[in-house]
Amino acid sequence: MAGKLIVFEGTDGSGKSTQFQRCCQALQAQGRTFRTIRYPRYEAESSALVRMYLGGAFGSHPDDVNAYAASTFFAVDRYAGYKEEWGSYYEAGGLMVMDRYTTSNAVHQAAKLPEGEREGFFHWLFDLEYNRMGLPRPHQVIWLDMPTHLAVVNLRSREAATHTQADIHEVDTGYLTACAQAAAQAAQLFGWQRIPCVNEQGQLRTIEEIHQEIMQHI
């Protein structure tokens, strides 16, 4: 009997990785048994095309590789991860908590398309990975809804603190805005759990406030 799959999703700079870690710590404290995985698996051979794409080998702008082609780069890495790392555990009933999944292509690749074409892309993407490739569908998607202008501030702060260079997704503010719009569209269509990262006054919520809301849903 298959297990359960919980996915953390959000645009770059949304605080997704922080909340993913906080959730895992909370589950451990509760004595829950689970496994985690982060996609893309940058250290794995199966992510070679992902690394080339994000590093600008195929063009310096996200639109230089169309949404459908780029999606296959990430899908191959997810398939390899499923076969190599977590598929047997999940199929035996295990709980998987994931930092990004197929849903990330719905956010980052659909952003390259006009709004009217995105729903068709979503259905193509989910058919490719869940039906044709045989990857399991997530049971719950936690979507961190962060306004783009605040996400950009977080990204630039992270780059300065870690002395890392932004990839072609992270450096393009217009693209990040389109990602937020695509995420909102996908969330509405497919029932993702929206977690607002700002309060009604437009102020950034604390990490703890966001964490507590997430755990209420999980």
Side-chain angles (χ1 to χ4, degrees):
M1 181 178 178
K4 186 174 183 180
L5 199 162
I6 300 171
V7 176
F8 277 73
E9 195 54 73
T11 56
D12 296 313
S14 64
K16 172 187 53 59
S17 293
T18 296
Q19 292 300 334
F20 169 78
Q21 292 172 347
R22 291 292 299 271
C23 173
C24 292
Q25 291 167 356
L27 291 174
Q28 287 174 339
Q30 294 172 8
R32 298 290 300 274
T33 299
F34 64 98
R35 290 187 185 178
T36 66
I37 191 167
R38 295 175 183 268
Y39 281 114
R41 302 182 307 152
Y42 290 112
E43 74 289 350
E45 292 182 7
S46 59
S47 70
L49 286 172
V50 172
R51 284 180 271 119
M52 292 175 69
Y53 162 67
L54 292 177
F58 307 135
S60 59
H61 190 274
D63 285 339
D64 290 335
V65 180
N66 73 65
Y68 294 88
S71 291
T72 64
F73 303 161
F74 293 89
V76 165
D77 182 46
R78 278 188 285 273
Y79 180 82
Y82 175 71
K83 289 294 187 179
E84 294 174 343
E85 294 190 38
W86 60 274
S88 297
Y89 171 79
Y90 169 81
E91 295 298 339
L95 169 63
M96 290 297 305
V97 184
M98 316 186 80
D99 184 348
R100 298 202 185 281
Y101 193 51
T102 304
T103 47
S104 279
N105 273 354
V107 173
H108 292 90
Q109 300 306 322
K112 299 175 179 179
L113 300 171
E115 183 177 352
E117 296 180 18
R118 289 174 185 164
E119 185 172 353
F121 171 80
F122 296 148
H123 289 295
W124 171 86
L125 171 67
F126 297 149
D127 178 63
L128 171 68
E129 297 203 27
Y130 303 148
N131 296 332
R132 300 180 187 278
M133 297 180 75
L135 296 175
R137 295 177 182 268
H139 294 81
Q140 186 174 36
V141 180
I142 302 294
W143 169 49
L144 293 164
D145 185 7
M146 174 73 80
T148 301
H149 69 282
L150 293 176
V152 170
V153 171
N154 289 343
L155 282 171
R156 302 302 168 248
S157 297
R158 185 179 71 190
E159 292 157 16
T162 60
H163 305 288
T164 55
Q165 184 175 356
D167 63 38
I168 62 171
H169 284 186
E170 297 169 339
V171 77
D172 191 323
T173 303
Y175 172 72
L176 293 173
T177 299
C179 287
Q181 295 167 349
Q185 189 173 350
Q188 184 176 17
L189 283 169
F190 301 105
W192 298 357
Q193 181 60 58
R194 175 181 176 268
I195 305 295
C197 295
V198 296
N199 59 26
E200 293 180 356
Q201 290 73 42
Q203 299 170 324
L204 192 63
R205 300 172 70 194
T206 68
I207 291 173
E208 182 61 23
E209 287 173 340
I210 295 171
H211 168 68
Q212 289 300 327
E213 182 175 350
I214 289 171
M215 294 310 297
Q216 289 173 8
H217 293 291
I218 291 180

